[in-house]
Amino acid sequence: MYSIAIDGPAGAGKSTIAKTIAKKLGFVYVDTGAMYRAIALYFLRKGVDGKDAQTIEKMCPDIHVTLEYQDGEQQVLLNGENVSSFIRTEEVSAMASLTSAQPAVRAALLQLQRDMAKSADILMDGRDIGTHVLPNADLKIYLTASVSVRAKRRYQEMIEKGVSCELSEIEQDIKERDHQDMTREIAPLKKAEDAYLLDSSDLSIEEVVDAVITAFHEKTGA
């Protein structure tokens, strides 16, 4: 079994890149961010404060997040409900950044994610895959881009979905989420020592995909 870990900040293009690479290599793609978003959605629906560690820890045993694939597309199930269409809002993103810093939330998903890597060739993306979830991954990539580029990408995504938004607000949100992700006590976002640093600011999706696949073949000989 082979495993690839792709980490990086919000808006770096991890999911898009990871899905494409997984399809080309025949790997199973695991979007760990979607799993954290599903948990964040649960707490939002319950009206829980994202910083209320005691309540979050108490409620975690009631939350069950699983992944399914339908027609080759990953579906996220929260307590049996397909919530894939509800977890990509800015509100959920902001909540996920808060709740994913809670030890109880990370513990709830850690073993599930590690078990997935034992059952198939896995490509997993997130914030702490190479440093914490899969420290022995065959290839680790730290994918990043400038704040302005990431903000413009997110802005374009929202506009295409018909969502009204302000570029300046998105850029500020990204800066705040970077700070939260990089300074949290549990498994903060950082580049693993043995990870390849890949800045996608001036690269196309195809160029990034080719670079990662080349690195994988060179690293593993597969």
Side-chain angles (χ1 to χ4, degrees):
M1 300 294 178
Y2 289 107
S3 58
I4 299 175
I6 299 182
D7 291 310
K14 298 186 299 297
S15 296
T16 300
I17 298 301
K19 288 176 185 177
T20 305
I21 294 170
K23 190 168 291 186
K24 284 180 176 288
L25 292 177
F27 279 34
V28 173
Y29 167 58
V30 178
D31 179 358
T32 61
M35 300 170 80
Y36 283 107
R37 285 168 178 266
I39 289 181
L41 178 65
Y42 180 90
F43 289 128
L44 275 173
R45 288 176 170 179
K46 296 291 186 180
V48 176
D49 184 332
K51 296 180 179 179
D52 186 348
Q54 188 172 358
T55 299
I56 286 173
E57 182 175 5
K58 183 178 178 181
M59 296 177 78
C60 271
D62 299 325
I63 307 172
H64 302 283
V65 178
T66 54
L67 301 179
E68 286 186 356
Y69 284 84
Q70 296 177 8
D71 299 323
E73 291 295 321
Q74 178 182 268
Q75 306 297 321
V76 185
L77 276 63
L78 172 62
N79 292 343
E81 176 194 355
N82 189 332
V83 295
S84 301
S85 61
F86 303 115
I87 61 174
R88 297 299 174 183
T89 67
E90 289 302 306
E91 184 183 22
V92 171
S93 294
M95 185 65 158
S97 192
L98 290 175
T99 55
S100 64
Q102 298 293 343
V105 172
R106 304 201 75 80
L109 291 180
L110 178 61
Q111 195 55 52
L112 174 62
Q113 292 165 354
R114 285 179 172 170
D115 287 344
M116 288 177 178
K118 297 176 183 178
S119 61
D121 291 326
I122 287 286
L123 195 162
M124 199 174 288
D125 76 335
R127 302 287 196 279
D128 64 342
I129 310 306
T131 56
H132 188 62
V133 180
L134 300 178
N136 297 315
D138 296 290
L139 174 67
K140 300 175 186 177
I141 299 291
Y142 188 86
L143 181 66
T144 189
S146 68
V147 171
S148 62
V149 167
R150 287 187 280 140
K152 288 175 183 175
R153 289 174 181 171
R154 184 60 56 85
Y155 175 79
Q156 193 60 41
E157 287 177 7
M158 302 296 284
I159 293 299
E160 290 175 357
K161 292 178 181 178
V163 179
S164 177
C165 56
E166 293 290 337
L167 179 59
S168 59
E169 291 182 4
I170 292 177
E171 187 165 329
Q172 185 59 37
D173 286 344
I174 285 177
K175 289 178 180 178
E176 291 176 1
R177 287 168 60 190
D178 282 355
H179 179 73
Q180 288 174 351
D181 291 340
M182 293 176 179
T183 59
R184 68 187 180 211
E185 289 187 23
I186 305 297
L189 167 65
K190 63 180 180 180
K191 175 183 171 294
E193 290 185 5
D194 54 346
Y196 288 78
L197 176 63
L198 189 53
D199 190 321
S200 68
S201 297
D202 300 315
L203 299 176
S204 67
I205 292 174
E206 292 75 16
E207 289 173 325
V208 176
V209 168
D210 288 344
V212 174
I213 290 178
T214 298
F216 172 72
H217 291 313
E218 289 179 349
K219 187 85 183 295
T220 65

